Amino acid sequence: MLRGLSALPRRAVPVMVLLAGLLVMTACTPTPSPEPKTPPTAPSQTVPSPQPTATSPELHVDGTAADNLPLFGEITARVWSSSKRAEGRAYIDALVAAGFPRERMQVTEDETTVGNPVESLQFSVAWGDAECLVGQVGPSTGDPVTAVLPQLAEGRCLVGTTRPIDW
C-alpha cells in the first residue's frame, strides 16, 4: 500500500487526506430528526385572506380631466354596449347621472340631414378652463374612443354644429 501511495504525485496526498476526513466527519454527523407533523386546522379555524375588490371609477369634482377619464370611459362603454348605443341623449343622461355637469356638455346629432344614423357620434364635457373629456362612438369608429383634449375657443370641445341639450 505504501508503494501505491508513493506512486501518487505529492500534491494528491493532501487532497486524499482531506477527502477522507470529510467522509469520516459526514458519517459521524447525526441525521436530523423529521419535523413533527402539525394536525391540520379545522375549516372553521382558517381565516380567509382578504381578496382585492374591483372598484368602479369615481367622479373627482376637484380633479383633472385625466382623473375623470376612467369614469367617462366606463360610462361610454356601458352605453355603447346597450340598445341605446346610437343615441347621443343616452350618453349625456348617463354622464349627468354620474355627476358630470350637463351645462358643460356638447353632443352631435344622432342622424344625418337625410335621416340616416350617423357614422360617428361625439359627445364631450368641458373640464376646467383648458381641457375636455371627449367621447366618440359609431360604426366608423369601431370600439368607443375616449380622450382628454384641449378646449377650443370659447370653452367648446367639439368642432362644428352640435345639438342643444335641452331635455
Side-chain angles (χ1 to χ4, degrees):
M1 180 146 172
L2 284 177
R3 189 177 260 209
L5 281 178
S6 64
L8 290 173
R10 288 187 181 247
R11 286 187 226 157
V13 174
V15 171
M16 289 186 67
V17 170
L18 178 65
L19 287 174
L22 286 173
L23 183 62
V24 169
M25 288 187 345
T26 305
C28 296
T29 308
T31 59
S33 60
E35 293 289 322
K37 290 187 176 181
T38 56
T41 57
S44 62
Q45 294 176 343
T46 58
V47 177
S49 60
Q51 297 295 321
T53 57
T55 58
S56 295
E58 297 177 0
L59 182 68
H60 301 280
V61 177
D62 295 326
T64 64
D67 294 337
N68 289 291
L69 185 60
L71 178 59
F72 186 84
E74 181 180 285
I75 292 166
T76 300
R78 193 177 329 133
V79 176
W80 177 249
S81 65
S82 76
S83 62
K84 298 192 180 268
R85 69 187 313 160
E87 299 175 23
R89 181 176 181 157
Y91 294 93
I92 299 302
D93 289 347
L95 290 166
V96 169
F100 288 94
R102 179 188 307 268
E103 66 277 0
R104 305 284 324 256
M105 295 184 187
Q106 290 180 280
V107 64
T108 58
E109 295 286 342
D110 297 348
E111 296 180 344
T112 65
T113 55
V114 293
N116 295 326
V118 294
E119 287 293 314
S120 177
L121 175 68
Q122 296 179 346
F123 48 92
S124 66
V125 179
W127 199 264
D129 294 330
E131 296 179 306
C132 294
L133 292 158
V134 178
Q136 183 173 350
V137 297
S140 67
T141 305
D143 291 333
V145 176
T146 57
V148 175
L149 298 173
Q151 281 184 20
L152 304 172
E154 300 162 3
R156 296 178 51 87
C157 296
L158 302 179
V159 175
T161 305
T162 59
R163 69 190 256 199
I165 301 174
D166 55 4
W167 60 88

